[in-house]
Amino acid sequence: MLARDLISTVVPVLHPLDSGSRALRLMNEYHLTQLPMVLENKYLALVEEDDIMDLEDAEIHLENMEYNGSKPAIMENAHFYEALKLFNDLKLSTLPVISHENEYLGVLTKDNLLSVLGQYNGVKEHGGILALDMDPRDYSLSEIARIAESNDVTLLSVNTITNPASGRLEVLLKTNRQELQGLLATFERFNYAVKYTVTEEQEEDLVKKNYDLLMNYISM
């Protein structure tokens, strides 16, 4: 899915002649810490809540504020994975989407991206979760998929994360089955280390916990 497909049309934009206090009111109303400043459909800057809070006079026009030169944005044809990286790296609450001519098209929000991420990861689908622990050199998606298929299990999503301390790879499998004992036994027979399994009864709590952790991390 591309950035242009996830644009929010309800988030307001700021004008250079808007006051800092008006910007703060809008940020508070929409529960955001940044809003784009736009003039004649051209993206000028991403106004930060912290910068306004530091002003001696909150009624100053935004055009008279000092900006650090950072103007984060994403092209309309960029993949949403790139947007996720920018949100994480720059600790954003909004990310402007622009055309090649720097025309402002709208913004992405954390809620937009988390919703899409949930769809891609099969969060809404029924089924259990199984996590494998392995050396990155041993990772073979084709073999993992073959083992799942041999147990009549469909993998709805596969995600990997490397532990920076140990260098070990965790492979998280979302499946279409609740009963995973047969799949678990087969992985162990092929010398895979199963880190944990989660059935649907536990899944709602796990998804909520991970969602809350991600939201807290992005908001840092």
Side-chain angles (χ1 to χ4, degrees):
M1 191 170 290
L2 304 182
R4 61 171 172 261
D5 302 318
L6 303 174
I7 289 174
S8 172
T9 57
V10 298
V11 175
V13 299
L14 300 172
H15 186 276
L17 294 179
D18 284 337
S19 66
S21 61
R22 181 175 188 276
L24 286 178
R25 285 196 300 271
L26 288 174
M27 290 178 189
N28 182 64
E29 180 180 348
Y30 287 85
H31 306 289
L32 299 169
T33 58
Q34 297 131 346
L35 283 175
M37 182 165 61
V38 177
L39 179 62
E40 296 179 354
N41 210 35
K42 297 294 184 180
Y43 170 50
L44 301 180
L46 192 62
V47 180
E48 299 270 355
E49 179 184 56
D50 288 345
D51 291 339
I52 299 175
M53 298 290 287
D54 289 339
L55 293 174
E56 293 184 4
D57 180 9
E59 296 306 315
I60 190 173
H61 291 169
L62 297 179
E63 65 178 356
N64 295 323
M65 285 179 55
E66 292 185 7
Y67 296 95
N68 59 14
S70 175
K71 194 169 77 170
I74 193 168
M75 302 302 296
E76 60 178 316
N77 59 350
H79 193 268
F80 85 93
Y81 276 1
E82 183 179 340
L84 278 172
K85 184 178 187 303
L86 287 172
F87 267 90
N88 180 50
D89 292 347
L90 303 178
K91 305 299 182 288
L92 301 175
S93 67
T94 59
L95 178 61
V97 181
I98 60 174
S99 70
H100 287 285
E101 292 75 31
N102 195 43
E103 292 181 345
Y104 175 79
L105 303 177
V107 296
L108 306 183
T109 67
K110 289 185 293 188
D111 288 344
N112 291 140
L113 294 184
L114 288 172
S115 176
V116 173
L117 189 61
Q119 294 175 37
Y120 271 84
N121 283 278
V123 170
K124 296 182 180 180
E125 303 295 331
H126 295 288
I129 294 172
L130 187 149
L132 305 173
D133 177 74
M134 65 183 67
D135 189 293
R137 294 171 298 181
D138 297 329
Y139 175 65
S140 171
L141 180 56
S142 60
E143 182 173 77
I144 291 172
R146 179 180 59 78
I147 292 173
E149 290 170 2
S150 71
N151 284 270
D152 196 27
V153 173
T154 299
L155 299 181
L156 300 177
S157 71
V158 179
N159 290 281
T160 63
I161 185 170
T162 301
N163 185 317
S166 65
R168 301 283 291 177
L169 186 70
E170 180 178 317
V171 182
L172 189 66
L173 309 175
K174 174 64 185 286
T175 76
N176 68 330
R177 296 280 294 276
Q178 281 301 310
E179 176 52 55
L180 297 176
Q181 288 304 313
L183 179 61
L184 175 62
T186 305
F187 274 123
E188 291 177 340
R189 190 166 67 250
F190 280 86
N191 297 316
Y192 281 89
V194 178
K195 197 170 184 179
Y196 60 83
T197 61
V198 181
T199 60
E200 194 163 56
E201 290 75 17
Q202 303 166 285
E203 190 176 343
E204 283 191 15
D205 289 339
L206 178 67
V207 170
K208 184 179 185 303
K209 178 181 177 182
N210 287 339
Y211 175 87
D212 291 340
L213 286 173
L214 180 59
M215 289 294 290
N216 288 337
Y217 179 73
I218 291 176
S219 299
M220 288 176 60

